[in-house]
Amino acid sequence: MRGMDDGRDQRTTPGHVAQQGDLFEARMLAEAIRALERDGAEAIHDESAELAARAITGDLESRIIERAARLPVAAQLRAALRQINTVTGWVIVGAGILALFAGAGTAFAALGRGVGGEGVVVNFYVAIGAVLGVQTLMLAAWFVLVVASSMRQRPTEGLLSLGRAAVAAAQWLTSRIQRGRITRAAVHAWSYIHATGLIGRWTFSSITHGLWLSFNIGCLGAIMLLLSTRHYQFVWETTILEDRHYVRLTHGLSYLPSFVGFDSPDDEQIARSRWTGRTGTLDDESRRAWSSLLVGSIVLYGFAPRILLFGWSLSRRRTAANRFALDTRLPGYARLESRLFDTPTRCETSDDVGGPSNPAAFAISAGHPSGTPRIRPAGPPAMVGIEIARPAVWPPRTPHVVWDDLGVVESRDDRRSVLAAIGESATEPAVVLMVCDLATTPDRGIGRFIAEIVARLARPAAVILTGGQSLRSRGMDTAGVASRVADWIRLCIEAGVAQDRIIELDLDHITAAGLQRIASLAGENSRTPEQVRHIEEAFELIRTHAKRWFDQGAAPTTDAQAELHRAIATLYQSSSESWRESLGFRHVQNLIEGNNIGRLTEQMRSGATRMTELLPMRLRKSPKWLAAGALSGALGCVAASLLISPVAIAALPAWAGIAAAVAAIWQPIGHEKKAPNTAGDNVAAAVRAAVLFAMVLELQGHAEADITRILDATIPDHEQAIRDATEVKNWLDSLRHRFNIAVAETLQ
Amino acid sequence: MSHPLRIAVVGHTNTGKTSLMRTLLRDTEFGEVSDRPAVTREVEGAPLLAQGRVAAELYDTPGLEDSIALLDHLEKLRGDRRTEGVDVIDQFLKSPAAEGHFSQEAKALRQVLQSDVALYVIDARDRVLGKHRDELTVLAMCARPVVPVLNFTAPGNVMGAGVAGWREQLARCGLHAVAEFDTVVLADQGEQRLFETMRTLLPGHRQAIDALIEDRQQQRDRLITAASNAIADLLLDASAYCVSVPHGDTAQMREATDNLKSLVRGREQQCVEQLLELFRFHRDEYTADDLPLTDGQWGLDLFSPAALKQFGIRAGGGAAAGAVAGLAVDAMVGGLALGTATAAGAAIGALLGTGRTHGRRLLDRLKGRTELRCDDATIRLLEARQVALTRALLRRGHAAQQPVEVKQDSSLRRSRLPEAIQQARLTPSWSRLGESVALSGLAEAARERAQSSLAETIQQSIKQSGTGQ
């Protein structure tokens, strides 16, 4: 059974493995490793084996083989595979001995053992049939099956044979002798390879033919023994056939044996051999002729085909073993590809010239001769946009300050003309306010431009960072935005702008407070609107409403929620102009009076979008908070319009239409379409929306990024359950606490 | 050809040059990717392999940041109008300015001069600005073919100049062979088109580029085959597995149920890991949260009704009344439950093939034991999730920094489970879950066949849904 092939495989594998042993065994080992890994439901990771496999040149398969050979478990598996081979070998030897005896037994049975002075009468054709009949049938069956399975392209399926039985017995025996996952994997690999590949067919075939060969040898031996020691009278008999049939049959049978020199009876001898009921009618010559034909037939029709097929099967088996390749598409192998090939190494780079790793200092171009700018009288403040998308209102309309518009700089020529305008006019702008876009990546080019402007000024310059909103809508998370802002601030400081004169402010969503801050950069020191704290009152309102809803035990209706929003909005009436503007509620007043539900819905939708945009990325991903943002935006819009045209909520025309619109706005936003189930869920949703509304109104006048930051810090990841009024109170208390801390930390 | 094709990747800062490198190299480890400026400060190169051979060399360069001043500087150097652009660049590279303020630009330009082609990476979300035009002017002076590569073109990035605006601007600069290549969301043929665009400009390197294109195509096919094999293996394991418990023993039943669920969950996770390993992604890309795949998309437990809903799979079918969600309880006595009419033929075949196991099953039934296994809906869900994951991985660039997200796709719903699964249902020995025994060669071959036919079906659904978008 050993010595499956010693032929060197011609195809690949220059690695060590090929020299160590034979390639088929190496592949079998790899297969066993795969079986082991699959069985253990866990891949083996062995650095040194993978390293060795990466080191060789060759395709994936040869690397898999190399890795398998180098794994620590390989030795055990090799031993197990050897054991299978040994056991299989012994089983086959045993079966061969049995076949030998079976052959001899068949011969004894065919020739009979009677003792008689006149010799034993043996029906020649019955004897031939007994010895050759079964095996010829089996041969034919084998042939048909091999042809059939080749045609169906399915290697060994359905090929039930002696060989397969012997192998099955050997496997059964192996797994009885030794248990454990190593043996199991080895048996598995062995049977898998033999069941799926061509190798199996030829292994089983060679065993089958070998066993029959042994059978024939036993048979021939016994027959020779019997013919030498016994006296037989070969006869034939018939009931319906004529003599000439037997003559022809005998000649047909002897056709091949006579070629190799076996005698055969002639016509007359055949005729005389017909059984007449009397013994001793045959002369010695006829006996010898018949004996010779008997032996010749067995040799040529039994022994010869089997030995030829045995040899052929063995050689085919060797070819199959050589050709056997691992199916690298199997998941167990394919997954190794990334591990067994080097990730591409780095190329040598031509660029070894050092240079400063951080060319931070901005080289100011020679356009400006002297080191210090000359002192000029102050002119009007100037504003310049640097590579920004021009906002809807440019320059922003700040109270009491009129800006000298230097335009938006995009190209080299723009830069030149701006530098000329700043540096060469008779007056120097009271302040140069540079507006940069946070959505742009800060680069040295911009830094140098800012530095050149600063170098032309004797008075301090200022920078506004706008466009935080569009940055967020690119899907950048809070940390990303923060690091982008920090990068810009660093760049501006390096360019010579004082840190306290760099502010983040979205010009597209500017509030009154924001305009005030811009004006203050121009030296206009009008007081900032007084911040009034109403958050406690707002939360108290929410608490009492929630309690009422819980007491009623029914889900809060949309108008009840709108009523709560209106109550909150009333608290912040003094700053209403500012928040209405920044939340996009500018034109709401006429909509309700005009009963213009369509337009109102549109406004509500934009309010909902605006409010959700204020949420940090983390909360926008939470369906609950996304829905809360949308709901509070929509209801806030209604509240804002009611603030201006004080209509009783219940008296609102077409309230049903508004409710439907609200539902339509926030439902598709959530991931889960299903509405909240319990009254508790409904109250919780209403409370979330109201809390969000209250916090956003409280934070009016602050930069949008700050609002988002505070919301992020206030709302925890995992909220506690809200099932009754007490829990609402607890939740609100903890939220208010966090809110105060976040405000204090963020706004200092 | 004395040296392999050399490709320099250049562009403004933070447009995704290193991301492009990573995606083309299939190497998530290459360089450093961040949404900040000037992350790459040195030129770094890596070979592009085709069939194990170096077909091209890719060089990552520091971003061009101050092209406006650089162009000013170059024009001053030029002085005489007739000096050629390349000579001016050469002169610049030798000048002290190349070591100082313009050191990053100098590194990039030096690499361009040593390369056969420059890929100019553009963030399509940016507006077209003067500095970009100046960068193109400087690159044009290098006298090398320039292929603009528009990054971040996936739908959803609607801002800035966009693809159309950029194409128009590039055409004005005389650049018409433009490639679109989103390094985060891979289009099906994006990479191939990029190579093809390069091929039109580099007739001398046609062979190398063709080899690359072919290699990538083969790689993709191999990946799909391997992935569908892995999924088929999972499905066979899960659908064949069944446990038998005494009828009516609720405690044992519960224990067996939990056990089965955890086995199948574990097996699914194993398949997920196989797929990620296949596609060369890191484990932490999906364990960002404590969920199998992040963002709640995969947080849904395999056996929760919501998970079924997510993929639009209707529960029911095999689930008997009172069955645990996701499990079919087959308590029929007498073994007749084997023969749901459709599977009768297969049952006979299976009986012939694995008589022993079936004998025991029939006996178990007669003794009044209950059989427990995954129901059809769960099998469908397993398939749907893995196919969706494979698709997501196929479309994922190696520069992506967000965790994998899986979108629902209703095209995966199929009216009938494939033949191979029905066969597996009748052959518990096929399952490698739990304490399995090694299969005999014959059974192994049968399982193998079922797996490959199932893999073929899965492969089709991966490809179909892959192109159907």
Side-chain angles (χ1 to χ4, degrees), chain A residues 34 37-39 41-43 45 154 156-160 164 171 184 187-188 191-192 195-196 327-332 334-339 341-359 361-363 365-366 386-390 408-412 415-416 437 439-446 448 470-471 473-477 480 483-484 487 490 621 671-672 674, chain B residues 12-14 25-27 29-31 35-38 41-49 57-59 63-72 75-76 99-108 110-111 114 123 125-131 133-134 157 159 219 222 225-226 229-231 233 270 274 277-278 280 295 297 300 306 309 402 405 432 435-442 444-445 447-449 451:
Chain A
R34 184 173 77 95
E37 286 179 320
R38 193 169 54 181
D39 194 26
E42 191 171 306
H45 290 307
R154 285 183 181 177
T156 49
E157 197 221 357
L159 189 59
L160 292 159
R164 169 153 263 157
Q171 283 180 357
R184 198 160 63 175
V187 169
H188 189 102
S191 49
Y192 175 76
T196 52
D327 183 355
T328 51
R329 293 169 309 166
L330 292 172
R335 68 174 187 83
L336 288 171
E337 186 169 4
S338 59
R339 304 183 156 276
F341 281 92
D342 274 323
T343 38
T345 45
R346 307 289 176 250
C347 295
E348 279 182 28
T349 57
S350 54
D351 190 43
D352 295 329
V353 194
S357 61
N358 186 6
F362 298 108
S365 79
I386 303 177
E387 296 181 4
I388 60 170
R390 196 181 273 268
V408 174
V409 171
E410 289 209 336
S411 69
R412 206 145 53 111
R415 288 192 183 187
R416 278 202 198 115
D437 190 354
T440 327
T441 312
D443 61 46
R444 274 183 299 116
I446 296 175
R448 195 181 45 81
S470 64
L471 191 62
S473 64
R474 274 193 194 184
M476 202 184 244
D477 57 7
S483 107
R484 174 63 61 85
D487 284 338
R490 195 174 315 119
K621 282 180 183 167
H671 281 292
E672 309 259 325
K674 75 177 164 89
Chain B
H12 194 76
T13 187
N14 195 24
L25 293 170
R26 307 277 188 279
D27 182 0
E29 311 262 290
F30 186 89
D35 207 345
R36 300 189 54 192
R41 292 199 180 277
E42 301 293 333
V43 175
E44 201 174 350
L48 265 181
L49 302 178
E57 286 170 359
L58 268 182
Y59 292 92
L64 305 170
E65 289 197 37
D66 200 357
S67 57
I68 292 187
L70 177 62
L71 194 58
D72 266 342
E75 283 181 357
K76 248 169 256 152
E99 311 283 316
H101 180 63
F102 296 117
S103 66
Q104 285 196 30
E105 283 80 5
K107 286 175 192 169
R110 203 169 283 138
Q111 192 54 52
Q114 276 158 3
D123 185 342
R125 298 170 304 184
D126 285 341
R127 284 168 307 118
V128 189
L129 296 170
K131 59 189 178 190
R133 280 191 288 267
D134 290 353
N157 292 329
M159 44 186 316
Q219 216 171 31
R222 264 209 309 278
T225 317
N229 253 311
I231 299 173
D233 201 21
Q270 197 191 340
Q274 278 179 348
E277 195 173 3
L278 260 182
R280 302 193 187 192
D295 278 346
Q297 299 274 1
L300 292 173
K309 228 163 122 190
Q402 252 75 56
E405 274 187 48
R432 298 200 186 93
E435 292 163 25
S436 61
V437 282
L439 291 179
S440 74
L442 201 66
E444 180 67 34
R447 187 190 192 280
E448 201 62 36
R449 223 174 19 259
Q451 183 178 329

Side-chain angles (χ1 to χ4, degrees), chain B residues 120-164:
Chain B
Y120 177 72
V121 184
I122 295 163
D123 185 342
R125 298 170 304 184
D126 285 341
R127 284 168 307 118
V128 189
L129 296 170
K131 59 189 178 190
H132 298 121
R133 280 191 288 267
D134 290 353
E135 280 162 17
L136 287 169
T137 314
V138 173
L139 282 179
M141 290 168 81
C142 294
R144 293 286 181 280
V146 174
V147 179
V149 179
L150 292 171
N151 195 2
F152 302 109
T153 52
N157 292 329
V158 278
M159 44 186 316
V163 175

Side-chain angles (χ1 to χ4, degrees), chain B residues 198-256:
Chain B
M198 277 164 53
R199 192 173 59 187
T200 58
L201 295 177
L202 297 162
H205 292 276
R206 188 182 189 88
Q207 257 183 334
I209 297 177
D210 279 342
L212 273 173
I213 292 176
E214 202 197 323
D215 184 67
R216 292 303 157 95
Q217 191 57 46
Q218 283 174 359
Q219 216 171 31
R220 190 184 151 91
D221 287 350
R222 264 209 309 278
L223 275 178
I224 293 180
T225 317
S228 31
N229 253 311
I231 299 173
D233 201 21
L234 160 74
L235 292 185
L236 288 187
D237 276 355
S239 53
Y241 190 65
C242 78
V243 280
S244 119
V245 284
H247 191 50
D249 187 336
T250 41
Q252 266 198 35
M253 178 89 154
R254 198 174 310 124
E255 193 186 325

Side-chain angles (χ1 to χ4, degrees), chain B residues 308-377:
Chain B
L308 290 174
K309 228 163 122 190
Q310 186 185 20
F311 283 90
I313 296 166
R314 220 179 300 161
V324 204
L327 296 179
V329 178
D330 196 349
M332 261 178 112
V333 180
L336 292 172
L338 284 181
T340 47
T342 50
I348 293 166
L351 275 169
L352 290 175
T354 53
R356 208 168 51 121
T357 35
H358 269 285
R360 193 182 302 144
R361 286 179 79 187
L362 291 176
L363 205 63
D364 280 351
R365 296 280 169 75
L366 290 172
K367 283 187 198 152
R369 289 170 76 91
T370 299
E371 219 167 55
L372 210 58
R373 59 181 168 203
C374 287
D375 66 0
D376 286 1

